[in-house]
C-alpha cells in the first residue's frame, strides 16, 4: 500500500513526531484517515451552521420564522440521510482500526530476534536485556535502569511487568503503549526502523515520581549494539543487577 | 403542609411508590455490582471454596427462614393497612422488626464465632467479600427496621397508612438480596 | 402554603447576600423551596468552579514556567502538582458540572416547567443538598490534611489509590473517596425528586410530549446516573476497605485485581459524561428554539436519540481501557460500540443546526453561548472518534490529545452551557435583566481564549506529550523549544480567560445593584416558568392560578397568529380568535 504508506508518514513529514517502528506508519495512517473523514464532516457541519446563522439572522425586516416541525418526510431526510452516512463512515473507520489493532496488539509475529523483560516500579524502568547468548533469564543477562538498548531492524518481544502500581510503557516514536500491571506479565512486540536516542515514557500516573520516570531508548546499528553488549556483559555472570548498570550509553 | 405537587398523580401510580422503586433500582445496581464482582472472582479462585466451607450453612438457612417470615408479617401488615386497621398493621410491623432483630442477633453470633477463629475481613478475598456483602446487607436490615419502627408508630395512630406498603416493598427487597447472598456465600462450597 | 413570606424573600439572591444574624441564615439553610435549594447548589458550584479554575491556573503556570514561584500558591512540587490535577478534575466534574447543570437547574426548572409548586419530596430535596454540602466540605478538607490531597488522578486507579505506601497520602485519598461517595448519594437523593416530579406532578393537560426538552434531558441524565453509579459505589466501599482495613480487593498479591476497579469506574464513568452532557444539550435547545423563534426540528427525534445515546452509553466503557491490559478482543467490540454512539449524537447536533433553518435569529448573550456550545462541542465530539478507534488510541491514550478532547466536551458543557443557562434564566431567577453589552464582552473574552488554550494542547498531544507530568524538561522530544512556547501560549490564554471572568462577576454585581426589573416573560418564550412572576413567589404560582397546559413548548411563529409565540398555558379559545 505504497500510496497509503506515504500518508502514514504525514506527521513525520510535518516534523511533529518521527516514525520509528514498523507499525508506526500504520497507526499514523489510521489517525490521518480519521482526521480526513471527521474533518470533512466537521467542516461541513460548522459551515452550514455558520451559514444558517448569517442567513436567518433577524434583519428587522419583520420577516417571521417559518413553521417547520420536522415531522414530514421531506424535512426529515435532511437529518436521516446524513446520519446514515455517518454510520457508513463509522464502518470505514472501524475496518481500518481493526487492521491496525490486530497488527499491533493481537497477532504477535513469530520467532523474535530477542526477548526483553521490562519492569516498571516506582519510579524507574528496570530493563533486562538478553546477554551475548541471546537468551533471557540466563546468567549473562544485562540489567539496566531507565535505558533500553535495542538493535535497529530487529524484531523484539517484550515481557512487561510491574512490581508495585500501574505503569505504562510508552515510546512515542514507535507509537507503542501498554500498561504494566503488578502480578501479570504482558507480552508485546516492536521492531525499530531508525537508529537514534528516543524518549521512553511512563504514561500512567504512578505516584509522586511519575514525572521523573523518564527512560531513554537507544536504537543502535548492529555493530554499535554488539559493542554495547560486549561492554556491559557482567564479568562474573552471577553479579547482582545494580553493579553493572552502565552510565549512559 | 404538602405542596400541591405531592397531591398529583399524572401516572396514576402513587408518588411514594415511584420513589421507593427508584430507591430499590439504585440499590439493585449497588448490590449487583458487588455480587457480580464477587462471582467473577469466585470463578477465578476455586481455592476460595475451602474458606466458604467454614461458613455455617444451617445458621445461614435459619436466618433465611427468619427473614422470609418477617417478609410474611410485612405482607400481613400491608393487608391490615389496606383494611384501614392501623393498630393491627402496627402489630405485624413490630413482628417484622422482631424478625430483623433476630437476624442481626444471629449474624452477630456468627461473625463473633468466625472472627474469634481468625477468619477476619483481611484473611483472604472470600472473607473480604463475605463481610462486605453481608455487612452491607445487615446495614440495610437495620436501617429498614428503624424506619419501620417510625412507620409502625404512626400506623398505630392510623396515620400515613400508605407508608406501611412502601416499607413493605423495601423489606421484600432486603429479603431478596439475602436470597442471593445465602447461596453465594454459604451454599456454594 | 404555610411560611410563604419567609421563603418568598429567600428566592431573591440579594437576600442571601443581605442575610444578617442567624435568623436569616437558619431559614435559608432549612428552606425546602426548590428555588432556594437550586440557589444553594448553584452558588456552591460557582464557588467550586473558582477553586477548580484556580487549580488549573496553578498547574498551568507550573507547566509553562517549570519551577517558578506561582503567585498565590508558591512552588509546585511533583506531589502537589498531581494533587492539583487530580482534584481539579474531580471538582470540575462532581462539584461544578453536576451541581450546577443537573442539581441547580434541575431543581429550579423542573417544578416551574411542569407547572408544579415545588418538588414532590421537598424534605428529601433539602436532605440531598445537605449531603452534598457535607461532601463539599469533605473534599475541601482532603486538600489540606496531613500528607496533602489525593494525587492518584480523578480515575483513582488502584493499587496506587488503595495503598498509602504507594500514594503517600493516607488521609487525603480516603477523604477523597468518602467525599465522592457522599456526592453520589446526594445526587441519588436528588434524582428521586426529578423523576417523580416529572412523572406525577405535571400540570393538568401536559402530556409526556409537552414537556420541555431540557426537563426530559435532566431526568434521563438522572436515570443514567442512578443506573450506572451503583457498581462504583460498591467499588468505593471496597476501595475504602482496601485503604483502611487492608483488605485486598484490588491487590494482586492477595488474589485481588486492579483492573476490576477500572471496569467499575468506567462503567459509571462513561455514562457520567452523558449525565453532564444531556442537561447542557437541553439548555441549549431551549435557547436556540426561543431565539430563532422556531419550533424544535423534530421534538420526538431528540427524545428518541437521547434515549438511544443513554442505552448505548452503557456499552462503551472499556474504550478507556484499550491498552490497560484487557483482552485485546474486547477492544474490537468496544471500538464498534464507541463509534456507533457517534450516530445518535451526530443526529442531535444535526437537529440543533436544522432548527436554525428558516428561523429569525436574535444573537442575544444567551443565544451566543448556546450557539458556541454547538460549535465547540463538535470539536470535542469528533476528536472522540480518534480515540474510539482502538488502533489510534494506542498512540493517543493518556496524551494531551485525550485531554484536549474532553476539555472540548467538558468546557462547552460545564462553562459555556452553564453561562448559557445562567444568562437565559437569570431574569427569572433574580428578577433583573443582565447587561447585554457586558455579557457579550464576557462571551468573546471567554470563547476565544478557550480555543487558544486547548487547540495547542491537541498539537502537544499529537506530539506525544503525556498527561499528569509536572515538568517536561526531562523528555528530549517534549522539551523542544517549539513545544515549550506552545505551553506558555496556552497558559497565557488561560490568564486572559480567567481575567475575563471578572466581567461576568462585575455584570452580576452591577445587575443586582441597578439592573432593570425583569418582566414575567422577557424572551417571549412559551414554557411555563415564564408565566409567573420574576422571580417566582414561594409556590411558584398563586394556589388557584396553577397553570393548565394546552400545547407543546415550542409553538413559535405559528402561521396566522398575531404574535410569534404561543405560551403553553394559553387557552385555545383565544387562538380561534387570533387566527
Ligand atoms: C462530557 C464529556 C464527554 C463527552 C460528551 C465525550 C464524548 C465522546 N468520547 Fe470522550 N472522554 C471524556 C469526556 C467526554 N467524552 C473524558 C473526561 C475522557 C478522559 C477521561 C480520563 O482519562 O481522564 C474521555 C476519554 C475518551 C476516550 C478514552 C481515551 C483514552 O483515554 O485513551 C475515548 C475513546 O474512545 C473517548 C471517546 C468519546 C466518543 C466516541 C465520544 C462521543 O460521544 C462523541 C460523539 C460526537 C460526535 C462524533 C460529534 C458529532 C458528529 C458529527 C459531527 C458527525 C461526524 C462524525 C463521524 C463521521 C464519526 N473519550
Ligand atoms: C468539567 C470539567 C473540566 C473543566 C471545566 C476544566 C477546565 C480547565 N482545565 Fe481541566 N481537567 C478536567 C476537567 C475539567 N477541566 C479533568 C477531568 C482532568 C483530568 C484530571 C486527571 O488527569 O486526573 C483535567 C485536567 C486538566 C489538565 C491536565 C493536567 C495534566 O494532566 O498534567 C489541564 C492542563 O492544562 C487542564 C486545564 C484546564 C483549564 C485551563 C481549564 C479552564 O477552562 C478553567 C477555567 C475556569 C473557569 C473559566 C472558571 C470560571 C467559571 C465560573 C466562575 C463558573 C460560573 C458559575 C456559574 C455561572 C454558576 N485540565
Ligand atoms: Cu510509572 Cu508513571
Ligand atoms: Cu468514555
Amino acid at each position: 500500500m505504497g500510496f497509503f504508506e506515504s500518508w502514514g508518514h504525514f506527521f513525520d513529514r510535518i516534523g511533529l513526531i518521527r516514525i520509528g517502528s514498523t507499525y508506526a506508519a500504520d497507526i499514523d495512517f489510521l489517525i490521518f484517515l480519521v482526521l480526513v473523514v471527521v474533518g470533512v464532516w466537521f467542516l461541513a457541519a460548522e459551515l452550514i451552521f455558520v451559514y444558517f446563522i448569517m442567513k436567518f439572522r433577524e434583519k428587522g425586516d419583520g420577516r417571521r420564522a417559518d413553521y417547520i416541525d420536522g415531522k414530514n418526510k421531506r424535512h426529515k431526510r435532511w437529518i436521516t440521510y446524513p446520519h446514515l452516512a455517518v454510520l457508513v463512515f463509522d464502518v470505514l473507520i472501524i475496518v481500518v482500526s481493526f487492521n491496525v489493532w490486530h497488527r499491533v496488539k493481537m497477532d504477535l509475529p513469530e520467532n523474535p530476534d530477542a526477548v526483553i523483560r521490562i519492569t516498571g516500579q516506582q519510579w524507574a524502568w528496570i530493563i533486562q536485556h538478553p546477554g551475548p547468548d541471546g537468551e533471557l533469564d540466563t546468567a549473562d543477562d544485562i540489567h539496566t535502569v531507565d535505558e533500553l538498548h535495542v538493535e535497529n531492524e530487529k524484531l523484539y518481544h517484550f515481557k512487561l511487568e510491574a512490581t508495585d502500581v500501574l505503569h505504562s510503557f510508552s515510546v512515542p516514536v514507535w507509537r507503542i503503549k501498554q500498561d504494566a500491571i503488578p502480578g501479570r506479565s504482558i507480552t508485546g512486540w516492536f521492531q525499530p526502523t531508525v537508529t537514534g536516542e528516543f524518549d521512553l515514557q511512563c504514561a500512567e500516573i504512578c505516584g509522586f515520581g511519575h514525572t521523573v520516570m523518564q527512560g531513554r531508548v537507544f536504537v543502535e546499528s548492529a555493530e554499535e549494539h554488539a559493542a554495547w553488549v560486549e561492554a556491559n556483559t557482567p564479568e562474573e555472570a552471577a553479579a547482582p543487577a545494580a553493579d553493572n548498570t552502565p552510565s549512559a550509553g | 403542609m404538602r405542596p400541591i405537587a405531592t397531591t398529583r398523580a399524572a401516572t396514576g401510580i402513587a408518588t411514594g411508590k415511584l420513589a421507593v422503586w427508584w430507591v430499590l433500582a439504585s440499590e439493585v445496581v449497588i448490590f449487583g455490582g458487588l455480587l457480580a464482582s464477587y462471582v467473577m472472582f469466585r470463578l477465578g479462585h476455586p481455592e476460595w471454596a475451602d474458606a466458604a466451607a467454614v461458613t455455617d450453612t444451617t445458621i445461614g438457612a435459619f436466618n433465611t427462614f427468619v427473614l422470609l417470615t418477617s417478609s410474611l408479617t410485612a405482607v400481613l401488615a400491608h393487608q391490615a393497612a389496606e383494611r384501614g386497621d392501623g393498630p393491627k398493621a402496627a402489630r405485624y410491623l413490630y413482628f417484622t422488626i422482631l424478625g430483623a432483630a433476630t437476624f442481626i442477633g444471629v449474624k452477630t453470633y456468627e461473625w463473633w464465632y468466625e472472627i474469634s477463629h481468625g477468619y477476619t475481613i483481611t484473611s483472604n478475598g472470600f472473607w473480604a467479600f463475605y463481610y462486605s456483602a453481608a455487612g452491607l446487607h445487615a446495614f440495610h436490615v437495620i436501617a429498614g427496621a428503624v424506619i419501620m419502627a417510625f412507620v409502625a408508630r404512626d400506623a398505630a395512630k392510623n396515620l400515613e397508612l400508605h407508608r406501611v406498603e412502601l416499607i413493605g416493598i423495601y423489606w421484600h427487597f432486603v429479603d431478596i438480596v439475602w436470597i442471593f447472598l445465602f447461596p453465594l456465600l454459604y451454599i456454594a462450597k | 402554603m404555610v411560611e410563604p413570606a419567609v421563603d418568598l424573600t429567600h428566592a431573591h439572591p440579594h437576600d442571601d447576600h443581605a442575610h444578617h444574624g442567624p435568623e436569616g441564615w437558619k431559614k435559608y439553610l432549612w428552606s425546602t423551596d426548590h428555588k432556594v435549594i437550586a440557589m444553594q447548589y448553584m452558588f456552591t458550584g460557582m464557588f467550586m468552579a473558582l477553586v477548580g479554575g484556580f487549580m488549573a491556573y496553578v498547574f498551568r503556570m507550573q507547566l509553562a514556567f517549570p519551577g517558578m514561584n506561582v503567585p498565590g500558591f508558591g512552588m509546585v512540587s511533583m506531589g502537589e502538582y498531581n494533587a492539583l490535577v487530580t482534584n481539579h478534575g474531580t471538582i470540575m466534574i462532581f462539584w461544578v458540572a453536576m451541581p450546577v447543570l443537573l442539581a441547580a437547574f434541575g431543581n429550579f426548572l423542573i417544578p416551574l416547567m411542569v407547572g408544579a409548586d415545588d418538588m414532590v419530596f421537598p424534605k428529601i430535596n433539602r436532605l440531598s443538598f445537605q449531603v452534598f454540602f457535607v461532601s463539599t466540605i469533605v473534599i475541601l478538607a482532603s486538600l489540606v490534611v496531613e500528607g496533602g490531597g489525593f494525587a492518584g488522578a480523578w480515575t483513582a486507579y488502584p493499587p496506587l489509590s488503595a495503598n498509602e505506601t504507594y500514594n503517600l497520602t493516607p488521609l487525603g485519598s480516603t477523604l477523597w473517596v468518602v467525599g465522592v461517595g457522599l456526592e453520589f448519594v446526594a445526587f441519588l437523593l436528588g434524582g428521586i425528586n426529578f423523576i417523580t416530579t416529572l412523572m406525577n406532578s405535571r400540570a393538568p393537560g401536559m402530556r409526556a410530549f409537552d414537556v420541555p426538552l431540557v426537563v426530559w434531558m435532566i431526568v434521563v441524565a438522572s436515570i443514567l446516573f442512578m443506573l450506572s453509579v451503583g457498581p462504583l459505589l460498591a467499588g468505593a466501599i471496597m476501595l475504602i476497605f482496601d485503604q483502611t482495613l487492608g483488605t485486598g480487593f484490588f491487590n494482586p498479591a492477595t488474589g485481588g485485581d486492579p483492573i476490576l476497579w477500572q471496569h467499575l469506574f468506567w462503567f459509571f464513568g462513561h455514562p457520567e459524561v452523558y449525565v453532564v452532557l444531556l442537561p447542557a444539550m437541553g439548555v441549549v435547545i431551549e435557547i436556540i428554539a426561543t431565539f430563532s423563534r422556531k419550533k424544535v426540528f423534530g421534538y420526538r427525534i431528540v427524545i428518541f436519540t437521547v434515549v438511544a445515546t443513554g442505552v448505548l452509553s452503557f456499552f462503551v466503557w472499556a474504550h478507556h481501557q484499550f491498552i490497560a491490559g484487557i483482552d485485546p478482543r474486547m477492544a474490537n467490540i468496544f471500538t464498534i460500540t464507541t463509534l456507533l454512539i457517534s450516530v445518535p449524537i451526530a443526529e442531535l447536533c444535526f437537529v440543533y443546526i436544522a432548527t436554525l433553518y428558516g428561523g429569525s435569529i436574535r444573537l442575544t448573550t444567551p443565544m451566543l453561548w448556546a450557539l458556541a456550545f454547538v460549535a465547540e462541542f463538535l470539536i470535542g465530539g469528533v476528536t472522540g472518534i480518534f480515540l474510539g478507534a482502538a488502533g489510534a488510541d494506542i498512540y493517543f491514550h493518556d496524551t494531551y490529545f485525550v485531554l484536549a478532547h474532553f476539555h472540548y466536551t467538558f468546557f462547552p458543557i460545564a462553562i459555556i452551557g452553564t453561562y448559557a443557562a445562567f444568562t437565559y434564566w437569570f431574569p427569572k431567577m433574580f428578577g433583573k435583566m443582565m447587561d447585554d453589552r457586558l455579557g457579550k464582552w464576557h462571551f468573546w473574552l471567554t470563547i476565544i481564549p478557550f480555543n487558544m488554550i486547548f487547540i495547542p494542547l491537541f498539537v502537544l498531544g499529537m506530539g506525544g506529550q503525556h498527561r499528569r507530568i509536572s515538568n517536561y524538561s526531562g523528555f528530549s522530544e517534549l522539551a523542544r523549544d517549539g513545544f515549550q512556547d506552545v505551553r506558555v501560549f496556552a497558559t497565557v490564554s488561560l490568564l486572559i480567560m480567567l481575567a475575563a471572568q471578572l466581567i461576568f462577576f462585575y455584570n452580576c454585581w452591577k445587575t443586582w445593584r441597578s439592573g432593570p426589573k425583569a418582566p414575567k416573560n422577557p424572551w417571549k418564550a412559551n414554557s411555563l416558568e415564564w408565566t409567573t412572576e420574576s422571580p417566582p413567589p414561594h409556590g411558584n404560582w398563586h394556589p388557584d392560578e396553577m397553570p393548565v397546559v394546552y400545547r407543546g413548548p415550542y409553538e413559535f411563529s405559528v402561521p396566522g397568529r398575531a404574535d410569534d409565540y404561543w405560551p403553553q398555558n394559553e387557552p385555545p379559545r383565544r387562538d380561534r380568535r387570533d387566527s
Side-chain angles (χ1 to χ4, degrees):
Chain A
M1 48 182 250
F3 167 74
F4 294 113
E5 259 302 314
S6 64
W7 286 117
H9 287 73
F10 180 77
F11 299 105
D12 190 341
R13 287 236 189 68
I14 62 174
L16 193 57
I17 175 92
R18 299 279 305 274
I19 295 269
S21 77
T22 44
Y23 48 60
D26 301 359
I27 292 180
D28 282 17
F29 171 69
L30 171 59
I31 294 172
F32 188 76
L33 175 86
V34 180
L35 185 65
V36 172
V37 171
V38 298
V40 169
W41 276 94
F42 169 71
L43 289 179
E46 295 281 0
L47 286 177
I48 298 172
F49 181 65
V50 174
Y51 171 73
F52 281 0
I53 297 172
M54 298 294 172
K55 180 147 193 304
F56 299 107
R57 178 137 181 220
E58 189 213 20
K59 310 201 177 50
D61 55 6
R63 182 187 140 280
R64 265 177 70 151
D66 313 348
Y67 184 79
I68 305 169
D69 58 7
K71 279 212 189 67
N72 72 38
K73 288 258 173 299
R74 227 182 74 260
H75 292 131
K76 250 220 210 84
R77 339 187 253 268
W78 287 98
I79 300 299
T80 34
Y81 292 172
H83 99 255
L84 288 177
V86 170
L87 194 58
V88 175
F89 284 102
D90 279 344
V91 174
L92 171 67
I93 295 172
I94 290 174
V95 170
V96 180
S97 173
F98 271 22
N99 285 327
V100 176
W101 179 258
H102 276 257
R103 169 123 195 253
V104 180
K105 291 281 180 186
M106 289 182 77
D107 358 342
L108 189 72
E110 295 301 310
N111 41 39
D113 300 305
V115 181
I116 294 183
R117 175 172 289 107
I118 302 168
T119 308
Q121 69 173 48
Q122 286 180 323
W123 291 283
W125 292 107
I126 308 301
I127 293 154
Q128 182 182 359
H129 309 74
D133 65 354
E135 291 298 316
L136 200 62
D137 297 322
T138 55
D140 65 353
D141 288 352
I142 304 174
H143 296 261
T144 60
V145 175
D146 286 337
E147 284 188 9
L148 171 57
H149 288 263
V150 293
E151 182 179 336
N152 196 14
E153 304 294 351
K154 286 264 181 292
L155 171 63
Y156 286 89
H157 282 191
F158 59 82
K159 299 205 169 304
L160 189 55
E161 294 161 17
T163 54
D164 37 36
V165 300
L166 300 178
H167 301 273
S168 190
F169 171 72
S170 164
V171 181
V173 289
W174 292 347
R175 311 290 188 277
I176 179 76
K177 193 176 284 133
Q178 177 62 55
D179 283 10
I181 305 160
R184 294 199 207 175
S185 176
I186 298 170
T187 306
W189 70 282
F190 57 79
Q191 186 167 10
T193 55
V194 287
T195 57
E197 213 186 300
F198 307 107
D199 282 344
L200 163 53
Q201 306 172 341
C202 171
E204 185 64 66
I205 188 161
C206 50
F208 185 89
H210 172 57
T211 294
V212 292
M213 193 157 165
Q214 311 163 337
R216 302 293 285 159
V217 173
F218 300 86
V219 184
E220 296 141 348
S221 64
E223 37 298 336
E224 284 169 353
H225 190 66
W228 177 81
V229 174
E230 172 63 37
N232 293 281
T233 313
E235 294 68 23
E236 18 46 273
D243 302 0
N244 33 51
T245 304
S247 54
Chain B
M1 164 71 199
R2 291 229 182 88
I4 300 171
T6 314
T7 63
R8 292 183 179 161
T11 52
I13 310 169
T15 310
K17 232 184 233 172
L18 286 178
V20 173
W21 284 115
W22 168 278
V23 174
L24 294 197
S26 22
E27 296 271 19
V28 166
V29 276
I30 296 178
F31 280 100
L34 190 60
L35 292 185
S37 315
Y38 168 69
V39 173
M40 300 267 291
F41 272 118
R42 187 68 192 268
L43 296 177
H45 296 276
E47 72 276 13
W48 286 11
D50 320 346
V54 176
T55 59
D56 188 331
T57 314
T58 38
I59 295 190
F62 173 75
N63 252 348
T64 316
F65 171 74
V66 171
L67 265 196
L68 284 172
T69 23
S70 75
S71 256
L72 176 66
T73 49
V75 174
L76 295 173
H78 173 211
Q79 284 174 351
E82 292 284 284
R83 275 185 264 93
D85 183 349
K88 188 134 178 262
R91 233 173 296 119
Y92 277 122
L93 285 184
Y94 288 129
F95 271 117
T96 318
I97 297 175
L98 186 68
T102 327
F103 180 88
I104 295 299
V106 176
K107 260 238 149 316
T108 327
Y109 163 74
E110 229 182 331
W111 283 22
W112 167 80
Y113 178 86
E114 281 150 1
I115 293 173
S116 60
H117 283 62
Y119 303 110
T120 66
I121 191 166
T122 51
S123 298
N124 79 0
F126 173 82
W127 292 107
F129 273 108
Y130 173 83
Y131 286 106
S132 311
L136 190 62
H137 174 261
F139 172 74
H140 281 75
V141 173
I142 295 168
V146 172
I147 301 170
M148 203 173 292
F150 286 104
V151 175
R153 201 195 54 198
D154 287 353
K157 309 195 208 85
N158 273 322
L159 299 171
E160 308 281 5
L161 282 184
H162 66 284
R163 288 187 182 162
V164 175
E165 178 182 12
L166 302 186
I167 189 67
I169 298 174
Y170 176 84
W171 197 252
H172 296 325
F173 164 76
V174 174
D175 199 351
I176 290 165
V177 171
W178 180 254
I179 299 297
F180 276 92
L181 287 182
F182 178 54
L184 284 173
L185 296 177
Y186 291 79
I187 299 177
K189 306 277 188 206
Chain C
M1 297 306 105
V2 283
E3 99 251 289
V6 178
D7 289 285
L8 186 128
T9 56
H10 292 289
H12 294 268
H14 65 81
D15 286 282
D16 23 281
H17 295 281
H19 280 326
H20 301 305
E23 254 300 284
W25 272 118
K26 245 205 229 74
K27 285 177 184 152
Y28 180 75
L29 269 179
W30 296 99
S31 164
T32 56
D33 183 322
H34 71 98
K35 298 181 290 300
V36 179
I37 292 169
M39 293 304 149
Q40 294 170 325
Y41 265 114
M42 183 148 75
F43 288 116
T44 320
M46 200 187 275
F47 170 73
M48 293 306 268
L50 293 173
V51 176
F54 175 75
M55 291 172 159
Y57 151 79
V58 175
F59 61 66
R60 278 286 354 150
M61 289 298 272
Q62 159 68 20
L63 286 171
F65 314 104
M68 93 175 284
N69 190 329
V70 180
F73 185 84
M75 306 290 275
V76 184
S77 76
M78 286 192 293
E80 285 168 335
Y81 181 91
N82 294 345
L84 284 166
V85 170
T86 302
N87 290 284
H88 160 80
T90 312
I91 286 175
M92 284 296 198
I93 294 176
F94 297 124
W95 276 271
V96 177
M98 288 184 76
V100 175
L101 283 165
L102 204 59
F105 286 102
N107 270 305
F108 184 79
L109 292 177
I110 291 176
L112 280 166
M113 282 187 154
V114 303
D117 58 337
D118 200 335
M119 286 291 188
V120 173
F121 303 107
K123 289 209 179 62
I124 296 184
N125 210 16
R126 178 181 61 193
L127 179 64
S128 154
F129 175 75
Q130 288 164 336
V131 175
F132 174 75
F133 191 75
V134 174
S135 77
T136 313
I137 293 173
V138 173
I139 197 73
L140 288 176
S142 81
L143 298 174
V144 295
V145 290
E146 183 75 50
F150 176 54
W154 81 289
T155 51
Y157 285 179
L160 180 60
S161 58
N163 187 332
E164 64 181 72
T165 58
Y166 295 149
N167 58 42
L168 309 175
T169 56
L171 290 169
S173 38
T174 305
L175 282 178
W176 183 90
V177 187
V178 173
V180 173
L182 283 173
E183 197 264 8
F184 290 166
V185 174
F187 278 85
L188 283 175
L189 288 168
I192 298 179
N193 269 306
F194 290 6
I195 187 160
T196 49
T197 307
L198 169 66
M199 286 177 76
N200 259 359
S201 305
R202 296 193 303 271
M206 182 180 257
R207 292 159 302 144
F209 289 128
D210 297 335
V211 177
L213 285 169
V214 65
V215 174
W216 267 101
M217 297 218 187
I218 289 175
V219 169
V220 173
S222 314
I223 294 172
L224 282 185
F225 178 80
M226 180 271 275
L227 290 178
S228 60
V229 79
L232 184 54
L233 272 170
I237 296 171
M238 301 189 213
L239 186 55
I240 292 178
F241 284 174
D242 272 13
Q243 288 173 339
T244 54
L245 304 179
T247 53
F249 288 107
F250 304 119
N251 177 356
T254 63
D257 179 5
I259 304 298
L260 169 66
W261 169 267
Q262 297 183 16
H263 286 300
L264 296 176
F265 184 91
W266 289 118
F267 180 80
F268 161 77
H270 194 88
E272 166 69 9
V273 306
Y274 299 109
V275 169
V276 292
L277 171 66
L278 293 182
M281 279 269 185
V283 165
V284 167
I285 192 63
E286 296 294 329
I287 297 175
I288 288 184
T290 304
F291 290 111
S292 52
R293 319 306 293 161
K294 273 287 306 299
K295 194 178 168 86
V296 170
F297 191 100
Y299 175 98
R300 286 172 192 231
I301 301 182
V302 173
I303 292 175
F304 295 144
T305 43
V306 163
V307 173
T309 312
V311 174
L312 259 178
S313 70
F314 282 94
F315 303 98
V316 302
W317 79 87
H319 66 211
H320 296 270
Q321 302 162 260
F322 282 147
I323 61 139
I326 58 172
D327 182 336
R329 280 163 305 178
M330 255 170 90
N332 288 337
I333 301 162
F334 283 91
T335 299
I336 297 175
T337 53
T338 300
L339 269 82
L340 281 186
I341 212 162
S342 67
V343 175
I345 294 188
E347 187 156 7
L348 271 182
C349 299
F350 296 154
V351 166
Y352 284 24
I353 297 173
T355 303
L356 295 170
Y357 177 85
S360 161
I361 298 169
R362 288 118 216 240
L363 296 180
T364 57
T365 310
M367 183 60 158
L368 284 179
W369 285 113
L371 295 175
F373 173 91
V374 179
E376 303 287 1
F377 175 76
L378 281 176
I379 303 182
V382 291
T383 48
I385 300 305
F386 290 78
L387 306 171
D393 192 52
I394 297 169
Y395 179 46
F396 281 145
H397 174 69
D398 259 328
T399 63
Y400 266 56
F401 190 92
V402 174
L403 189 96
H405 152 67
F406 70 74
H407 280 84
Y408 260 102
T409 50
F410 267 139
F411 188 90
I413 290 165
I415 309 293
I416 299 180
T418 298
Y419 279 135
F422 189 82
T423 47
Y424 182 64
W425 279 289
F426 186 93
K428 184 53 64 183
M429 289 190 279
F430 303 125
K432 299 274 185 87
M433 298 302 287
M434 286 183 100
D435 181 325
D436 207 48
R437 214 182 78 267
L438 283 175
K440 290 200 163 98
W441 274 105
H442 172 229
F443 169 79
W444 288 112
L445 287 177
T446 304
I447 289 299
I448 297 169
F450 160 61
N451 291 283
M452 290 175 5
I453 298 172
F454 290 106
I455 291 284
L457 297 192
F458 273 119
V459 180
L460 291 176
M462 292 188 130
Q465 173 168 320
H466 51 324
R467 298 167 58 182
R468 301 154 181 165
I469 299 294
S470 67
N471 179 348
Y472 290 94
S473 50
F475 297 91
S476 60
E477 286 146 32
L478 300 176
R480 286 149 54 180
D481 294 353
F483 279 16
Q484 193 55 33
D485 300 343
V486 174
R487 289 183 199 110
V488 174
F489 181 82
T491 301
V492 173
S493 312
L494 171 63
L495 296 179
I496 299 171
M497 174 158 75
L498 289 174
Q501 304 314 308
L502 296 175
I503 305 175
F504 168 74
F505 289 107
Y506 170 73
N507 193 352
C508 292
W509 179 78
K510 179 165 164 296
T511 311
W512 158 55
R513 289 294 301 283
S514 59
K517 175 110 188 54
K520 273 189 175 184
N521 189 357
W523 313 124
K524 303 208 177 325
N526 293 339
S527 42
L528 293 175
E529 78 269 30
W530 303 109
T531 65
T532 179
E533 308 301 325
S534 311
H538 182 69
N540 299 342
W541 289 270
H542 186 285
D544 358 305
E545 293 165 6
M546 296 303 283
V548 178
V549 170
Y550 299 98
R551 64 186 63 78
Y554 304 113
E555 294 304 315
F556 289 105
S557 316
V558 180
R561 272 181 55 83
D563 34 11
D564 66 353
Y565 68 112
W566 202 357
Q568 288 187 273
N569 67 333
E570 192 175 299
R573 263 181 287 89
R574 290 259 326 287
D575 71 65
R576 241 184 261 104
R577 193 175 67 233
D578 289 12
S579 49

